[in-house]
Amino acid sequence: EIVLTQSPGTLSLSPGERATLSCRASQSVSIDFLVWYQQKPGQAPRLLTYGASSRATGIPDRFSASGSGTDFTLTISRLEPEDFAVYFCQHYDGSPLFGQGTKVEIK
Amino acid sequence: QVQLQESGPGLVKPSETLSLTCTVSGGSISPYYWTWIRQSPGKGLEWIGYIYYSGSTKYNPSLESRATISLDTSKNQFSLRLRSVTAADTAVYYCARQFRYFGQMDVWGQGTTVTVSS
């Protein structure tokens, strides 16, 4: 069974900075089936990226996904105030599996 | 646009059955997977299972023995039943629309909190 490990647990950054979030799989997977979500307190997760490099409807281009094999990254090029949230990666091979999340907090 | 809304009791007694319904509005049931996810307090996301518009289902192996997901196309609703609940089943339960190929969940309900307590 694949395990997704996200790091760091918490990322403390300032608005305008670049955020790099990691999602590591316990075995090689295709980026085509690696998905990223954003979740704010009291809200449902929001789809950010899927299918290698596709952004969901309405997601700004400061969000980008990359990676291959076992190492995947969500990059937020310049943090906006509304980007401070928890981010989850998800792998799909017929059964969705989530990472434990990375919290991006204001430094 | 498509919207999802969960409904059901917020409090369930231990050993009883948790029953939730998700109503789909503004769109068609086909050709998607309709999924249940839960999130325990302060914890991550756990997939429970999904039902395809055709009626076929798939469950998380850790919950398969207790979970049943069903679909009522006439009402544009799908439902979750989770039997023999314990305090460990206390969570926010979300329904979501899932794409079949890449597996992304693009529309989510707002979530409903279910507490298991006597």
Side-chain angles (χ1 to χ4, degrees):
Chain A
E1 180 184 296
I2 295 173
V3 176
L4 297 179
T5 303
Q6 292 188 242
S7 61
T10 301
L11 195 53
S12 298
L13 294 168
S14 301
E17 290 194 295
R18 181 184 189 89
T20 303
L21 288 67
S22 172
C23 177
R24 177 163 290 178
S26 57
Q27 57 188 272
S28 183
V29 301
S30 169
I31 192 173
D32 285 352
F33 303 104
L34 205 289
V35 184
W36 288 93
Y37 300 89
Q38 175 194 71
Q39 186 179 33
K40 296 180 180 179
Q43 296 184 17
R46 178 173 74 144
L47 176 65
L48 295 176
T49 69
Y50 65 96
S53 59
S54 297
R55 278 184 294 275
T57 303
I59 301 303
D61 61 8
R62 64 179 180 271
F63 290 91
S64 63
S66 62
S68 64
T70 60
D71 293 312
F72 300 92
T73 300
L74 177 71
T75 302
I76 310 171
S77 58
R78 288 179 56 87
L79 282 164
E80 297 288 339
E82 62 269 25
D83 298 337
F84 291 91
V86 179
Y87 292 84
F88 293 95
C89 60
Q90 175 216 309
H91 177 254
Y92 179 65
D93 61 356
S95 300
L97 175 70
F98 295 92
Q100 83 278 19
T102 289
K103 181 180 181 180
V104 179
E105 66 175 21
I106 299 177
K107 187 175 182 180
Chain B
Q1 73 269 24
V2 176
Q3 293 185 309
L4 305 181
Q5 178 67 58
E6 303 92 348
S7 59
L11 181 64
V12 182
K13 290 182 168 57
S15 80
E16 296 191 343
T17 297
L18 177 162
S19 295
L20 297 174
T21 295
C22 182
T23 300
V24 181
S25 60
S28 173
I29 288 286
S30 65
Y32 304 100
Y33 287 148
W34 299 95
T35 296
W36 288 98
I37 305 286
R38 70 182 182 180
Q39 186 170 33
S40 302
K43 295 192 176 180
L45 299 161
E46 180 180 30
W47 170 67
I48 299 170
Y50 57 64
I51 188 164
Y52 193 39
Y53 78 101
S54 64
S56 61
T57 54
K58 188 167 187 176
Y59 300 97
N60 186 324
S62 68
L63 296 167
E64 186 166 18
S65 63
R66 298 193 292 130
T68 300
I69 298 175
S70 58
L71 181 65
D72 187 338
T73 55
S74 67
K75 295 181 179 178
N76 260 26
Q77 293 178 335
F78 61 106
S79 299
L80 169 69
R81 287 172 55 86
L82 188 65
R83 296 174 290 279
S84 304
V85 297
T86 69
D89 295 309
T90 293
V92 177
Y93 285 75
Y94 296 100
C95 58
R97 184 177 78 171
Q98 181 182 335
F99 280 79
R100 187 179 179 194
Y101 186 71
F102 291 124
Q104 75 275 26
M105 300 171 200
D106 70 326
V107 181
W108 294 66
Q110 65 186 25
T112 187
T113 299
V114 178
T115 301
V116 178
S117 175
S118 55

